[in-house]
Amino acid sequence: MVEVTVTPQSSLADRPVEMRVRGLSPSQLVTLRASLTDEQGECFQARAFFRADGAGEVDPGCHAALGGSYAGVWPMGLFWFLQPDTLFRRLVKRDVAGSPFLVRLEVFDGLCLVTGPQDQPLASCVAERWYVCPGMQRVPIREGRVRGALFLPPGPGPFPGVIDLFGGAGGLIEFRAGLLASRGFAVLALAFFAYDDLPRTLTQLDLEYFEEAAELLLRHPKVRGPGLGVIGVSKGAEVALAMASFLPQVVATVWINGTAFLHGNPLVYKDLRIPPIPYYAERVIFTEAGALDNSAIFADPRDPAYSASAIPAEKVRGKVLFVVGEADRSFNSKLFAELAMARMPPESCRLLSYPGAGHLIEPPCSPLCSISSIRGTPRPVVWGGEAQPHAKAQEHSWQEIIQFLELHLGPAATMKL
């Protein structure tokens, strides 16, 4: 009797699980497939080919995949290398608090390069991958100008507070906030355009909006002050560095593949205005797949003509962790990190730089998205990255991010799932 199991069957989406197939014949060739359907009905799948050992078992944690979506020993390979059936789709959990992703694991006899309705698995099981721990509270935020969602871990608190920012797609993206909150932080997933009654497009960065959000979070009775953390990717990292430079409430900042200069939109704060470096959209390159490679539309920030557009990182009073994917095709994020760090005392900043990692460095077990469609662009956008080093970068950087936030904000609560 063949069986496939995943342990634990229900887990947080950033945690590893163990897969095991039993009951095969010794040296039997099999195909393991993982698949899930997202909330928009898009199917993502990965498969790997194995030979059973002498006991008739396959353990991806110690047995090498012979081929398929990956090769070699990758214990979480069937999760890390999920790819959409439709090109250029990105796997994003939208209903973060209400339901898990259901990952179906199947084992087929022999080599199955494709799987149709006529292919019946020898065995199957379903893994639940949650983005919040049990008892998590999600509170919609619509107070003053601030729009977003606050994730509060179970228990009395108080918890260290973190603001979570995404980039140029706008809207409200909550999956990282849910996972961070499941590590014991009170996390405000903050929208700043293209959501609710916020402006549909980003015309300027009004730092007073982000200051209002910081004050709102720190006023919450379950949030432990006096300072808070900010984590941002892409345009959100640009905002995060500006917050760290001007807002005394921000004591720990995680900057993921961002810039150190204003681009496209000015930053305004009280009487201050930092002008942007314009985008040179005419330099965009169409790839063979028909996607937009935007890496050339950014001017060289070292040109003295753009010095007024620099975010004054020398004003940062807290600590900053810079996280860089060296294969980022959105822009030269390593250069921007180094330019920001050159303005800062060495003890106030640290760089994590990952060869082969792309722009969208997310929590571990999130599959690489190297190209995807994005709101506001006529074609898909190239983000870059190679699957295996990107997966390793996500695994390593996530643990470093958690430790950095706990070091500078105080210990978080311990959650279980």
Side-chain angles (χ1 to χ4, degrees), residues 30 35 61 99-100 110 134 160 176 206 210 225 231-232 265 276 280 317 319 327 332 348 366 378 407:
V30 293
S35 62
S99 64
R176 187 173 60 200
D206 180 0
F210 300 95
I231 181 170
N265 325 101
Y280 292 91
R317 280 162 279 192
K319 307 293 184 181
N332 189 344
S348 68
S366 305
L407 177 63

Side-chain angles (χ1 to χ4, degrees), residues 6-56:
V6 58
T7 308
Q9 185 269 334
S10 182
S11 59
L12 286 165
D14 62 344
R15 308 290 175 97
V17 294
E18 294 181 0
M19 291 160 276
R20 190 72 59 88
V21 183
R22 297 179 177 87
L24 301 169
S25 301
S27 300
Q28 182 177 350
L29 179 66
V30 293
T31 299
L32 265 63
R33 181 176 78 142
S35 62
L36 70 84
T37 301
D38 72 8
E39 292 132 319
Q40 296 183 325
E42 183 60 45
C43 181
F44 293 75
Q45 57 178 313
R47 66 186 63 222
F49 313 126
F50 293 89
R51 281 203 181 275
D53 63 15

Side-chain angles (χ1 to χ4, degrees), residues 123-163:
S124 66
C125 67
V126 174
E128 295 181 356
R129 301 290 280 171
W130 286 91
Y131 285 77
V132 295
C133 66
M136 181 71 67
Q137 185 181 7
R138 178 191 179 274
V139 183
I141 297 298
R142 203 175 193 277
E143 185 174 329
R145 293 189 298 163
V146 179
R147 303 290 180 265
L150 175 62
F151 289 84
L152 294 169
F159 309 105
V162 176
I163 292 176

Side-chain angles (χ1 to χ4, degrees), residues 8 10 32 34-35 39 95 101 104 174 188 220 305 313 316 373 385 400:
S10 182
L32 265 63
S35 62
E39 292 132 319
D95 178 17
F101 273 143
R104 183 173 177 82
E174 304 176 30
L188 173 60
H220 195 283
V316 172
S373 301
E400 294 290 325

Side-chain angles (χ1 to χ4, degrees), residues 281-413:
E282 66 274 16
R283 299 177 184 172
V284 71
I285 300 295
F286 296 151
T287 70
E288 185 178 358
L292 304 179
D293 185 335
N294 288 323
S295 55
I297 73 173
F298 291 84
D300 188 341
R302 294 165 292 191
D303 186 328
Y306 301 127
S307 60
S309 298
I311 296 171
E314 65 276 7
K315 295 180 180 289
V316 172
R317 280 162 279 192
K319 307 293 184 181
V320 182
L321 179 65
F322 292 89
V323 180
V324 165
E326 294 183 16
D328 184 351
R329 293 299 298 163
S330 194
F331 39 75
N332 189 344
S333 51
K334 186 171 186 180
L335 172 63
F336 284 118
E338 290 170 345
L339 291 173
M341 293 174 71
R343 305 173 74 113
M344 302 170 65
E347 66 275 8
S348 68
C349 53
R350 181 173 165 227
L351 175 65
L352 297 175
S353 191
Y354 297 99
H359 186 66
L360 297 176
I361 295 178
E362 299 183 332
C365 308
S366 305
L368 167 67
C369 179
S370 59
I371 306 176
S372 73
S373 301
I374 182 175
R375 187 203 327 255
T377 60
R379 296 192 184 197
V381 173
V382 176
W383 307 115
E386 304 160 31
Q388 294 188 1
H390 190 89
K392 287 292 189 184
Q394 291 189 153
E395 186 177 48
H396 182 265
S397 64
W398 187 241
Q399 302 308 321
E400 294 290 325
I401 288 166
I402 302 296
Q403 291 173 18
F404 171 82
L405 292 173
E406 288 190 328
L407 177 63
H408 300 294
L409 300 177

Side-chain angles (χ1 to χ4, degrees), residues 50-75:
F50 293 89
R51 281 203 181 275
D53 63 15
E57 297 187 359
V58 171
D59 177 357
C62 58
H63 296 158
L66 306 174
S69 301
Y70 67 97
V73 179
W74 291 81

